[in-house]
Amino acid sequence: MAESKSGSLRKGLNSALSILSSLIVALLPYVYFANKNFDMLGKKDLWLSLGIVCAHWLLVLLINLLLFREVHKASLATLFSVLLLSLFHTGLNFINRVFPFFYYWHGILLVTTLIVISYLAFHKLFEPKTAGKINLILGLMFLGLILINSFPTVIAQVKKGSAQRTGSVSMITDELTSQKAKEELNNIYLFVFDEYSGHEGLLRYTGYDNSAFYESLENLGFNTSKRSRTYALTTKAEVSNLLNLNFNASYYTEAEKNEILKDTYLFKKLPELGYDLNLINDQGFISTSQEKFKYLYLPQKMLSRQESLIGLLMDKSVYYPLVKHESNARVLEILQMFDYAKKSSTLQEAGLFTFGYFMFPHTPWVVDENGTEINKGDWDNWKNPQVYLGQLKYANKLIYDMVETLIENDPNSTIFLLSDHGFRYPTHMYRLFGEEMEDSDLERFYMRNILNAVYVSGEKHDIEAYSGINTVRTVLDKMFNLGLGLIEEAN
Amino acid sequence: MNKSYKILLAFVVAGLVLLLFSTKIVLLVTGNALEKKQIDTTITSPDLHYHIDIISPPEGLLRSVFIRGWAFDTKYQADTKRQITMILKSDTFAYEIPTFSESREDVRDAFPRYALTANDLGFGGTFSSIAIQEGKYELFLKVGEVGAEPALLKTNKTFIKEGVRFEEVLP
């Protein structure tokens, strides 16, 4: 009697382990994408996605239980089919690299064939015991993968938690703050608008004269320069340059640029002067440790490609045709960033350095000049520069509205409006459509033409033809006598 | 050979056949199959006005292209029913693509001298770029009143289908 009891207990345990193994395998894509985007996900998104993934797994398991009427085989079939269904689109994209004419329906036929053949094999060739052992082995392997994948995220979260507990957000020392009392430190705002073309570049590639925008900024007390240029043509290089106030990153590798971004001059020097840091980090682009920032705005949701974890998971799966790419999520994200930027002027009366990186008016081009959403087909339409121009004109409105509020709330502040590079029309026409540039040096000259405007408590400050970096250097020298001086111009 | 192997073999063969012809089947079932035609596009009318507002890049499972615009014949009578079709013309054959009509008050207002009525001045049409054979195509519009002989116009828009790529060739 006792033996039969322990036997049925063991049987029950084995069945439970088989089912659990299939669940672990089904969860791997979820865990992978959740870890990859952890900082951009909200709790609701995480739980909702987990619920849907589990419900999908359960549905497939129930169908398989009906088909096989045996737990181990049903679990093995579930494990196999859920993995195929979850990574269908990823696999299809991979096949498309070799066979471009392999469409969705080909994939469906292939997957259906694979599932039917494997189900027949499980049914005919496998003993339930063997299926149970395979489940267990695969379950352990996938559990290992999940743990390895989650380890860095867990460590990062633990570190973040302990930093918050020890109050290491502010790094002010008595010695350094003694240079100026905190209340005397005027707030500084530095905004970088990705792909915002300078006046000359805009005129060359779109035919649009943006003078009215510059004049409206000048009327608010800004100093502007239409001939400013950057040193590099990529965001990572130029943002690294800007945060370090030199142009060294132009010559670095991608890995080195990432490393530089973790520990930059401005995010060290300004706290030394007594400033707290506030970051607007569109797309999570700035890789500086979050512990350095007293305030942080990371637009929730993920990139422009997908706006939720479940959307991303569905996009990788067999259900991707059902995913609706909603542009308004990106529009909303942009509006929220500008709103937060305005609110930054109410966070502290003094001693706050706000750095905002906006991937705007960069692609995806989601709005026209009136802020009306545009056709999805135009999100990456490099052929028609007017699409870019529409988003840039809308950016003008949002920027003007933002700085007007900032000046109203914080008239003694310093506000930098810069871009990392201009409109890179020729390089994209070459990259996408093979259109050669007649004079690549000349085109680079115009593509490096940027937005450069600064408000220094409403005072005059000549920045004509300065790079963004030199604008920041001269203004910081004016404010704090740092003796930074000018560096070679980007001509 | 036992029964289950026979079933498996039949299943695999049927799967392979489906795999080979599935694109054609999908295009037929979804109504996206296009018939090759011989259309004479040598005579175009000078009385037609047009504009192409949108050409979307291929999107979705069927890589559908959407074209929208307006066109009219200056000889249109008031309140008549009009019809526009798109023609993609290669050197040796053509595809004719039906469109839907829409009212365009903005076009009517822009051409007061023709005393147009706004109905059916606008058009829009979708076709699957998968259904198009590789090659270079010029876009023509066939414009006319229902029941009358339509006239042709050349839009100066050229497209190229290369592999799975379908895009407009820039002038």
Side-chain angles (χ1 to χ4, degrees):
Chain A
M1 184 74 178
E3 260 181 37
S4 89
K5 235 186 184 177
S6 90
S8 67
L9 194 71
R10 198 181 303 134
K11 208 175 157 188
L13 186 70
N14 283 341
S15 300
L17 281 174
S18 260
I19 292 175
L20 189 67
S21 295
S22 72
L23 177 63
I24 288 168
V25 175
L27 284 176
L28 183 72
Y30 166 82
V31 173
Y32 174 77
F33 289 112
N35 281 325
K36 208 173 164 194
N37 302 284
F38 196 79
D39 287 333
M40 300 181 198
L41 297 169
K43 274 183 188 164
K44 195 180 155 193
D45 197 6
L46 277 169
W47 286 111
L48 179 74
S49 310
L50 181 64
I52 293 173
V53 168
C54 289
H56 178 246
W57 161 80
L58 191 64
L59 182 71
V60 179
L61 180 70
L62 289 173
I63 294 169
N64 286 328
L65 279 170
L66 281 173
L67 284 173
F68 289 94
R69 298 178 187 282
E70 199 282 317
V71 173
H72 297 295
K73 286 184 183 181
S75 298
L76 184 61
T78 304
L79 172 161
F80 183 73
S81 43
V82 165
L83 208 57
L84 276 178
L85 297 176
S86 313
L87 298 173
F88 178 90
H89 197 189
T90 311
L92 192 64
N93 285 338
F94 186 74
I95 295 173
N96 278 157
R97 284 186 207 166
V98 190
F99 304 108
F101 294 101
F102 196 88
Y103 294 114
Y104 180 77
W105 42 91
H106 295 125
I108 290 286
L109 282 169
L110 188 68
V111 164
T112 311
T113 311
L114 280 174
I115 287 178
V116 170
I117 292 173
S118 63
Y119 276 30
L120 284 173
F122 297 155
H123 182 61
K124 294 271 177 196
L125 307 175
F126 284 40
E127 287 297 320
K129 226 177 175 182
T130 319
K133 278 181 187 166
I134 295 172
N135 284 337
L136 210 60
I137 292 166
L138 288 174
L140 283 171
M141 275 172 59
F142 276 74
L143 183 65
L145 287 174
I146 285 175
L147 291 175
I148 291 167
N149 197 263
S150 305
F151 188 67
T153 312
V154 173
I155 295 290
Q157 292 307 308
V158 170
K159 268 190 183 173
K160 204 169 141 187
S162 67
Q164 274 165 2
R165 279 194 296 279
T166 52
S168 65
V169 265
S170 177
M171 304 191 305
I172 308 160
T173 65
D174 288 344
E175 188 194 340
L176 293 161
T177 45
S178 66
Q179 290 172 10
K180 261 191 180 185
K182 189 148 190 155
E183 59 271 19
E184 288 175 40
L185 295 170
N186 291 339
N187 287 334
I188 303 171
Y189 306 88
L190 198 168
F191 299 112
V192 178
F193 298 97
D194 203 333
E195 201 97 29
Y196 191 110
S197 177
H199 184 266
E200 295 169 334
L202 200 61
L203 207 54
R204 182 174 179 83
Y205 299 126
T206 69
Y208 182 68
D209 182 349
N210 204 15
S211 297
F213 177 61
Y214 286 82
E215 279 164 27
S216 65
L217 288 177
E218 283 159 13
N219 290 339
L220 286 175
F222 272 84
N223 304 278
T224 65
S225 161
K226 290 177 178 168
R227 293 187 292 134
S228 292
R229 276 161 233 293
T230 46
Y231 299 87
L233 267 173
T234 63
T235 306
K236 198 147 266 177
E238 205 49 39
V239 171
S240 304
N241 283 341
L242 183 65
L243 288 170
N244 284 298
L245 297 187
N246 59 40
F247 53 82
N248 296 344
S250 316
Y251 312 110
Y252 289 163
T253 63
E254 283 305 295
E256 285 168 334
K257 285 172 209 160
N258 278 332
E259 206 50 43
I260 296 169
L261 270 177
K262 286 180 183 162
D263 191 21
T264 62
Y265 175 83
L266 280 183
F267 290 152
K268 263 192 306 199
K269 190 69 192 173
L270 287 162
E272 281 176 12
L273 292 167
Y275 278 89
D276 293 323
L277 300 181
N278 175 28
L279 176 68
I280 300 167
N281 198 1
D282 193 5
Q283 312 303 306
F285 188 83
I286 308 297
S287 53
T288 312
S289 167
Q290 293 184 10
E291 296 154 29
K292 284 189 187 291
F293 300 95
K294 185 172 180 181
Y295 309 98
L296 176 73
Y297 185 74
L298 186 71
Q300 202 266 322
K301 299 167 185 175
M302 298 159 39
L303 299 177
S304 45
R305 292 192 296 271
Q306 275 303 330
E307 299 298 341
S308 68
L309 181 57
I310 193 61
L312 183 67
L313 289 169
M314 276 183 73
D315 197 43
K316 302 287 172 194
S317 75
V318 73
Y319 310 110
Y320 79 89
L322 304 173
V323 179
K324 217 177 159 195
H325 292 262
E326 286 189 23
S327 57
N328 67 359
R330 177 60 186 159
V331 181
L332 201 66
E333 217 168 63
I334 291 161
L335 295 175
Q336 283 169 347
M337 278 190 292
F338 277 95
D339 266 352
Y340 179 83
K342 285 191 232 170
K343 278 179 200 147
S344 296
S345 58
T346 59
L347 294 173
Q348 285 185 196
E349 285 199 1
L352 186 67
F353 172 55
T354 299
F355 181 81
Y357 166 74
F358 294 70
M359 199 179 84
F360 186 71
H362 191 283
T363 50
W365 295 311
V366 287
V367 283
D368 65 11
E369 63 181 287
N370 301 312
T372 310
E373 285 176 49
I374 61 170
N375 194 315
K376 197 193 146 203
D378 279 332
W379 282 15
D380 277 300
N381 185 353
W382 283 92
K383 275 187 180 171
N384 181 2
Q386 299 306 311
V387 182
Y388 161 78
L389 182 62
Q391 184 146 304
L392 180 130
K393 285 180 180 174
Y394 188 57
N396 283 352
K397 289 177 189 168
L398 294 178
I399 293 170
Y400 183 84
D401 188 37
M402 175 185 76
V403 292
E404 201 179 32
T405 308
L406 291 179
I407 292 170
E408 201 178 301
N409 292 343
D410 208 355
N412 293 321
S413 62
T414 296
I415 307 166
F416 297 96
L417 300 174
L418 303 171
S419 56
D420 52 345
H421 50 73
F423 182 36
R424 296 166 300 174
Y425 178 69
T427 52
H428 281 84
M429 289 305 283
Y430 175 69
R431 186 178 64 81
L432 297 168
F433 310 110
E435 270 194 22
E436 297 278 354
M437 289 176 248
E438 267 182 40
D439 184 345
S440 58
D441 285 343
L442 183 71
E443 299 308 340
R444 284 198 184 92
F445 178 81
Y446 282 104
M447 287 189 286
R448 287 190 292 104
N449 181 214
I450 53 156
L451 170 71
N452 185 5
V454 64
Y455 172 90
V456 193
S457 311
E459 291 171 16
K460 287 275 170 225
H461 184 80
D462 186 14
I463 57 163
E464 187 52 46
Y466 279 5
S467 64
I469 292 166
N470 273 334
T471 299
V472 178
R473 289 174 81 104
T474 55
V475 171
L476 290 184
D477 274 350
K478 187 176 180 174
M479 290 172 77
F480 308 110
N481 286 320
L482 293 175
L484 294 168
L486 294 171
I487 56 169
E488 189 188 321
E489 273 307 332
N491 290 316
Chain B
M1 194 185 276
N2 68 29
K3 199 183 161 190
S4 60
Y5 280 115
K6 276 182 189 167
I7 293 171
L8 186 64
L9 192 67
F11 180 78
V12 171
V13 170
L16 277 172
V17 171
L18 270 173
L19 205 65
L20 285 172
F21 296 100
S22 57
T23 302
K24 280 191 175 169
I25 295 167
V26 168
L27 289 174
L28 270 170
V29 170
T30 57
N32 278 285
L34 289 173
E35 192 190 335
K36 284 181 190 171
K37 288 181 176 176
Q38 293 302 323
I39 300 173
D40 183 10
T41 53
T42 48
I43 303 162
T44 54
S45 167
D47 300 323
L48 303 181
H49 291 263
Y50 79 100
H51 187 259
I52 305 290
D53 301 330
I54 295 171
I55 301 171
S56 82
E59 278 184 328
L61 288 185
L62 292 165
R63 304 186 61 76
S64 303
V65 176
F66 174 63
I67 297 178
R68 186 181 176 189
W70 56 262
F72 67 85
D73 192 325
T74 52
K75 294 171 191 156
Y76 271 172
Q77 302 295 308
D79 287 327
T80 48
K81 177 93 186 126
R82 298 91 185 237
Q83 205 174 0
I84 299 168
T85 55
M86 298 188 288
I87 293 165
L88 283 174
K89 174 88 170 77
S90 77
D91 290 338
T92 49
F93 61 88
Y95 296 112
E96 190 166 1
I97 300 150
T99 67
F100 64 82
S101 299
E102 61 182 354
S103 182
R104 290 287 296 257
E105 284 76 13
D106 57 328
V107 178
R108 178 199 60 199
D109 298 344
F111 297 93
R113 64 184 178 279
Y114 297 123
L116 297 163
T117 48
N119 66 295
D120 305 330
L121 295 180
F123 71 92
T126 305
F127 59 92
S128 167
S129 64
I130 294 173
I132 306 282
Q133 190 179 303
E134 284 207 17
K136 210 169 181 180
Y137 298 88
E138 284 183 301
L139 177 67
F140 288 80
L141 296 177
K142 200 158 97 178
V143 182
E145 287 167 325
V146 175
E149 188 64 24
L152 272 179
L153 75 87
K154 191 177 174 181
T155 64
N156 295 319
K157 299 269 180 200
T158 309
F159 298 90
I160 188 158
K161 169 81 188 282
E162 211 172 56
V164 287
R165 211 160 52 90
F166 181 85
E167 60 184 36
E168 189 188 346
V169 181
L170 286 176

